[in-house]
Structures are given as C-alpha cells and as structure tokens.
Amino acid sequence: MPLPPARVVLATRNRDKILEIREALASLPFVLLSLDDFPDLPEVEEDGDTLEDNARKKAVTLQRHTGLPALADDTGLFVAALNGAPGVRSSRYAGPGASYQDNVRKLLAAMETVPPECRSARFRTVMAFADGNTVQLVEGSCDGRLAFAPQGEGGFGYDPIFIVAGGERTFAEMSLIEKNRVSHRGRALAAARQLLKQYFRVED
C-alpha cells in the first residue's frame, strides 16, 4: 500500500497568497494545506518588530499546533519617502481589518504631493520554514516605484500601485506566472523551494 503524500501547511488563510504559493511550488511532491484546513486554530498575532519576527512566529506556532512542517511568510512595502512606512505593518496600514483598497487609498493620500522621481519603494518577503527542530529563513525583494493611481485588475494588496523597476506595468497588470518570476514573494518562494527540496530529498 503506497504511503500518503507528505504534507506542508501554509500559515495563512489569505487565498491570494495561497494561490501564488501553490503556483510556485506546484511541481513538488507534497500536499500544501492552509489554515482553512484547520479551522479551529487561532490566528497568530503579527506583533513582531520585523518581517523575520512575524514569519518565524507564525511558522513555529503552526508547526507546534499541527505537528506538520509549516511555511509562513510576512511581507512589507517599504517606501523611501515615508521613511520605510508602511513596512512591517503593511497589511494593517489603514487600521485593523483594513481592506486592500483601504490600505492603497491611505498610501496614495500620503504620497499625493510626492513627485515621480521620489516615489521609490521596495517590497520584501521573508519566509520561514519550521519542521519542529529548526527554523530556516529565506528572503526575496523587488524594487520599484509607486504609481499615482491604481493600474490593472489582477494581483492583490498594493499590487495595483507598485511598478516594477525597469518597466511600466504594475504587478496587477501581470499574469500570475509573470509576477512570480520577478516579485518579492516569487523570489522568496524560489529560495523556499530549495529548502523544501532538501527537506523532502527531492531530486532535480
């Protein structure tokens, strides 16, 4: 009788993130679960001072609750003209329970008088993989600039206003495959993919 497939649990209920992660890791031979598969688990408060703190806390907490290897991420948008804000609090920039649109509106309002040459920003994603013994961190980043208004219908979060350096399109104007090739999360996932291949002893 064949063994059941290995499982990894993602420390998120965000369906947009789950879609991106599953796309990037689709060819690996394990099942990706999410917090939706464990509805009784409490939310982990993201109260760390850094992306690393939050990613590590989420991965370790979920691994302990489920007994499964856990993969967690925390992402921030760091805007030079705002001294790095919204940064580690990007997902709740407009307050607790803020929607994507709320956060985008607040950021555009804060940047309203900032000229094009001063609208540089960097996305960073830190991913933590916890297996019950160790926690390993990897990171991806992407430089760009902020648009003056949302552009595109795809993506999520700040994607409609983040223009990738060297181009004219926002993440929201890219396909998921295109975005994963160049984005902060795509780059972090490429590094996480190597960790997972080593852990599960997957051959190239």
Side-chain angles (χ1 to χ4, degrees), residues 3-192:
L3 293 173
R7 296 182 295 168
V8 174
V9 60
L10 304 177
T12 185
R13 287 191 175 89
N14 183 317
R15 295 189 179 185
D16 296 307
K17 278 189 182 182
I18 292 168
L19 182 66
E20 285 193 0
I21 294 170
R22 283 182 168 155
E23 169 67 29
L25 303 180
S27 63
L28 295 181
F30 51 75
V31 174
L32 278 175
L33 305 175
S34 74
L35 286 177
D36 286 339
D37 296 293
F38 302 92
D40 295 331
L41 290 185
E43 294 288 340
V44 179
E45 185 178 1
E46 297 182 17
D47 54 2
D49 293 328
T50 66
L51 301 180
E52 289 83 355
D53 290 342
N54 286 333
R56 183 184 292 108
K57 180 180 180 181
K58 289 188 288 186
V60 168
T61 301
L62 189 56
Q63 195 285 322
R64 287 174 178 167
H65 276 289
T66 65
L68 297 172
L71 187 65
D73 90 291
D74 198 29
T75 295
L77 177 62
F78 298 80
V79 180
L82 301 179
N83 298 314
V88 71
R89 292 173 176 78
S90 292
S91 65
R92 48 200 182 279
Y93 183 48
S99 68
Y100 296 151
Q101 293 78 14
D102 294 334
N103 288 329
V104 166
R105 279 193 292 268
K106 180 174 180 178
L107 183 54
L108 287 179
M111 296 289 290
E112 187 175 8
T113 60
V114 179
E117 64 273 17
C118 299
R119 299 177 73 85
S120 63
R122 171 176 288 177
F123 258 128
R124 289 182 60 225
T125 289
V126 173
M127 304 202 83
F129 177 66
D131 63 9
N133 296 308
T134 61
V135 182
Q136 299 181 74
L137 300 179
V138 294
E139 178 180 339
S141 64
C142 182
D143 291 325
R145 68 185 191 277
L146 297 183
F148 283 89
Q151 300 170 199
E153 301 298 326
F156 63 99
Y158 297 95
D159 287 358
I161 59 170
F162 185 84
I163 301 171
V164 180
E168 296 299 327
R169 291 189 299 161
T170 67
F171 280 148
E173 294 176 292
M174 298 179 182
S175 70
L176 179 54
I177 292 174
E178 285 180 299
K179 181 185 172 185
N180 270 345
R181 286 196 191 110
V182 299
S183 76
H184 47 294
R185 187 173 291 106
R187 289 168 175 166
L189 280 165

